[in-house]
Amino acid sequence: MSIAATQPAMRRLRISPTLTKYIARQFFFWFASFAFAIVGIIFLATVVDLIDRLAAKDASLGIVFQMALLKLPHLSQEVMAFTVLFAAMTTFWRLTRSHELVVARAAGVSVWQFLLPVLGSALLVGVLTVTALNPLASILLSRFERMEANYIRNEASFLAVSKTGLWLRQVDAEGQSVIHAARVSAESALLHNVIVFRYADEDRFLDRIDADSAQLESGQWKLFEAWLSRPGEPSAFHETLDLPTDLTVDKIQESFAPPETISFWNLPEFIEIMDAAGFSALPHRLQLNRLLALPMLFAAMVLLSATFSMRPQRRGRVGLVIMAGLLTGFLLYFLSNFVFAIGLSGTIPVVLAAWTPAGVSLMLGVAMLLHLEDG
């Protein structure tokens, strides 16, 4: 008799598929609404900023809009956590205000079951952001960087890293030189197994230099144990050979592709190539781990939003709840960037720097919900 009596109660504790789909639809509706509004504001702000930066340049309004559209997916990705936070807060607040949440909880649905549809939706958004939006954003951002270098900074990239090693291009008064090195000691700016192709103007070949190593010094490359080969002449050996340059270690480091311009799917291979070439891949490792932690950060946003909006609010306190959510979002954004900057300096491990904001937010959200519901 007691077993039969408890069966209906057990059934009431389960959240129905219909309610699950209803809550998920509510979240996706508000997520799309906030995403559209935030992306629109970002686009307008980007257009205004580019118009100001390109005011003295030879660039049409079409170029401005093209550059703004190229940068838009990357900026949208950066504020996606805020979008999830605001969408979840609005979803829970409206369900509480219409007493739908009160009725569901009176029927035996716990807060954790009520959170599952929104948590699952947020995790799905996080996975799609990492696997689909990020690759698109990285491709478009790399194009934006090239247009920015052309129209604003008036410079071109002169460095590339591949599986075959490091490639550098430098231009001087006599022409240009293309330098290849199998690997490099980044700390001392020492290249190993160096080949230099020198050209007059842009395409007229002058000579080739094969050197055991090359050291970057002030205003020149010093090549050691170098063989100089010119068309129609025998190769000549030089213990040391100087090659003028205007490159510096800072210029070389700045020419690497920023982590944001490399797709999530290509980051592991790029990190391996950087390590093989002898350069530090710390920023790219941080970016990879940061992307991996993104779905967990979105789930943490849902838990935090529930603590602000799943309890009935008194009249006049809605504004306070919204302000608390905004403040929480900005604090988490500041924490994420602060820890990321510390990670870039190498002070703390990569995993700790990338996963701390998501981990702290998740634990804080769980603790606050446990306190409000079971405490």
Side-chain angles (χ1 to χ4, degrees), residues 23-104:
I23 297 173
R25 282 199 306 268
Q26 290 287 316
F27 171 77
F28 280 120
F29 170 79
W30 289 110
F31 175 81
S33 301
F34 278 109
F36 181 79
I38 293 174
V39 168
I41 294 172
I42 290 175
F43 178 74
L44 292 176
T46 305
V47 168
V48 172
D49 177 64
L50 288 173
I51 289 176
D52 180 62
R53 296 173 66 187
L54 293 168
K57 308 293 181 180
D58 185 19
S60 64
L61 190 60
I63 295 296
V64 171
F65 280 102
Q66 182 180 353
M67 292 179 66
L69 288 173
L70 290 175
K71 195 176 183 180
L72 187 60
H74 168 69
L75 297 176
S76 303
Q77 177 185 276
E78 292 295 308
V79 299
M80 194 66 72
F82 290 100
T83 309
V84 171
L85 176 67
F86 298 152
M89 284 186 63
T90 306
T91 300
F92 294 136
W93 176 73
R94 288 185 65 87
L95 291 174
T96 302
R97 185 183 181 186
S98 62
H99 303 293
E100 293 170 284
L101 179 59
V102 177
V103 173

Side-chain angles (χ1 to χ4, degrees), residues 55-195:
K57 308 293 181 180
D58 185 19
S60 64
L61 190 60
I63 295 296
V64 171
F65 280 102
Q66 182 180 353
M67 292 179 66
L69 288 173
L70 290 175
K71 195 176 183 180
L72 187 60
H74 168 69
L75 297 176
S76 303
Q77 177 185 276
E78 292 295 308
V79 299
M80 194 66 72
F82 290 100
T83 309
V84 171
L85 176 67
F86 298 152
M89 284 186 63
T90 306
T91 300
F92 294 136
W93 176 73
R94 288 185 65 87
L95 291 174
T96 302
R97 185 183 181 186
S98 62
H99 303 293
E100 293 170 284
L101 179 59
V102 177
V103 173
R105 296 180 67 179
V109 178
S110 70
V111 65
W112 305 106
Q113 291 174 306
F114 206 89
L115 283 172
L116 283 179
V118 182
L119 280 173
S121 301
L123 288 173
L124 178 61
V125 170
V127 171
L128 291 176
T129 299
V130 174
T131 59
L133 179 60
N134 174 261
L136 175 64
S138 62
I139 293 172
L140 297 182
L141 183 63
S142 62
R143 295 180 182 177
F144 170 82
E145 294 280 350
R146 289 195 293 269
M147 293 185 69
E148 184 184 39
N150 183 30
Y151 288 101
I152 299 178
R153 298 197 302 265
N154 295 322
E155 63 183 25
S157 176
F158 52 81
L159 182 145
V161 180
S162 67
K163 292 182 179 179
T164 60
L166 174 74
W167 292 90
L168 282 167
R169 182 177 64 87
Q170 62 178 41
V171 180
D172 53 36
E174 299 179 359
Q176 67 173 330
S177 302
V178 178
I179 304 172
H180 174 263
R183 58 189 179 87
V184 61
S185 300
E187 297 80 5
S188 56
L190 180 65
L191 307 182
H192 301 273
N193 300 329
V194 180
I195 302 175

Side-chain angles (χ1 to χ4, degrees), residues 215-222 243-248:
Q215 178 70 56
L216 179 60
E217 299 180 350
S218 178
Q220 67 177 8
W221 289 101
K222 183 172 286 294
L243 179 67
T245 184
D246 61 350
L247 297 179
T248 63

